[in-house]
Amino acid sequence: MNANLERGLLLYQQSRHEMAEAELRQALASEPHDSYAHALLALCLAHREKFQDATAEAQQAIHLQPDFAFAHYAHASVLLDRNRVDEALPAIQEAIRLDPEDADYYSMLASIHSSERRWRDALSAAEQGLQFDSEHVGCTNLRAIAMVKLGRKAEAGTTIDAALARNPDSAVTHANQAWTLLEKVNRERRWNISANRCGSTRKMNGLGRESLRRSRRGTSFMRSC
């Protein structure tokens, strides 16, 4: 792996996206046809809300290597960030067709279904991903969110407790645990909604949306290049 690309990947995993972008652009300056670098740069740019550039990089990655599943994954991720869900779905389905045993791709599929409130489809996708990686953070958390929405709160709590036992420092899982508890309280007290509860309900809903976004990001992106 190109040294700049390797540093860019590490910086991306550390959420240092501006520095990661610089390293990835240097990597592409020396190897402009590296589809992996283009795909990773697309994800990095999306984090920085440079969505047009991110889309262009993802499309370039696909152009250079149409059968590279990760390029289609990156494209799906950028499209979802742009709320272009109808386009994101076939993109991630193509990634899964090309590499049907990558839990990251099922996590993305679950996230897409969740964004459209298709909770049964989201649960199915998350559980498919867990068949290939039983400890996948994104699939675990998205599975728990879908279970809560489907009224299976006890199972969701067990799922999150198991995830925290494996990785007690996971901020994503802690956020989902808080959201799950808030959702349970909201359901139990729905009969007694008051003006004072409205503000906390809006806060809960915001936490839920953030949990979905952060769960989708719980991936390593360690690929053979």
Side-chain angles (χ1 to χ4, degrees):
M1 183 184 287
N2 177 290
N4 292 115
L5 177 55
E6 190 170 356
R7 285 194 294 271
L9 173 60
L10 178 61
L11 289 164
Y12 180 86
Q13 291 171 326
Q14 295 172 344
S15 298
R16 299 161 69 183
H17 300 120
E18 184 174 0
M19 296 177 68
E21 179 187 344
E23 291 290 344
L24 292 170
R25 291 196 183 281
Q26 288 187 51
L28 286 167
S30 59
E31 298 182 30
H33 300 298
D34 188 330
S35 59
Y36 180 77
H38 281 287
L40 190 58
L41 179 57
L43 294 172
C44 186
L45 291 168
H47 270 287
R48 302 193 65 205
E49 299 186 356
K50 298 180 178 181
F51 295 121
Q52 289 188 341
D53 290 344
T55 302
E57 290 295 336
Q59 290 173 337
Q60 179 67 3
I62 293 170
H63 173 75
L64 289 168
Q65 196 172 348
D67 60 350
F68 184 30
F70 184 64
H72 294 278
Y73 168 88
H75 193 209
S77 181
V78 173
L79 289 169
L80 183 57
D81 284 340
R82 300 185 71 174
N83 295 316
R84 291 163 59 176
V85 179
D86 290 344
E87 297 172 73
L89 181 57
I92 197 59
Q93 288 172 334
E94 178 64 7
I96 290 171
R97 186 188 71 80
L98 291 166
D99 185 357
E101 297 185 2
D102 193 312
D104 287 350
Y105 302 162
Y106 292 98
S107 179
M108 173 63 66
L109 179 60
S111 188
I112 290 169
H113 286 313
S114 296
S115 72
E116 294 292 287
R117 301 181 182 275
R118 297 191 292 260
W119 302 115
R120 293 188 187 281
D121 290 337
L123 178 60
S124 176
E127 290 183 337
Q128 283 181 277
L130 290 168
Q131 291 179 7
F132 300 109
D133 180 354
S134 62
E135 299 184 1
H136 191 275
V137 173
C139 289
T140 298
N141 284 288
L142 287 161
R143 179 175 184 265
I145 290 170
M147 282 181 165
V148 170
K149 291 297 186 179
L150 292 169
R152 296 164 59 180
K153 294 181 286 293
E155 291 176 80
T158 300
T159 296
I160 291 174
D161 289 344
L164 285 174
R166 290 194 302 266
N167 184 5
D169 297 325
S170 172
V172 174
T173 308
H174 278 291
N176 280 333
Q177 183 184 53
W179 175 79
T180 300
L181 291 171
L182 284 167
E183 180 78 0
K184 182 178 180 181
V185 169
N186 182 50
R187 293 289 179 87
E188 289 175 349
R189 296 181 179 178
R190 183 160 46 182
W191 56 272
N192 192 30
I193 295 175
S194 67
N196 289 336
R197 282 276 289 124
C198 290
S200 61
T201 299
R202 286 192 294 270
K203 183 182 293 185
M204 182 201 70
N205 290 337
L207 178 57
R209 289 191 296 272
E210 178 65 8
S211 293
L212 281 173
R213 186 186 67 80
R214 294 178 68 185
S215 291
R216 175 161 60 89
R217 299 298 189 189
T219 53
S220 67
F221 305 121
M222 291 301 291
R223 297 282 183 272
S224 59
C225 301

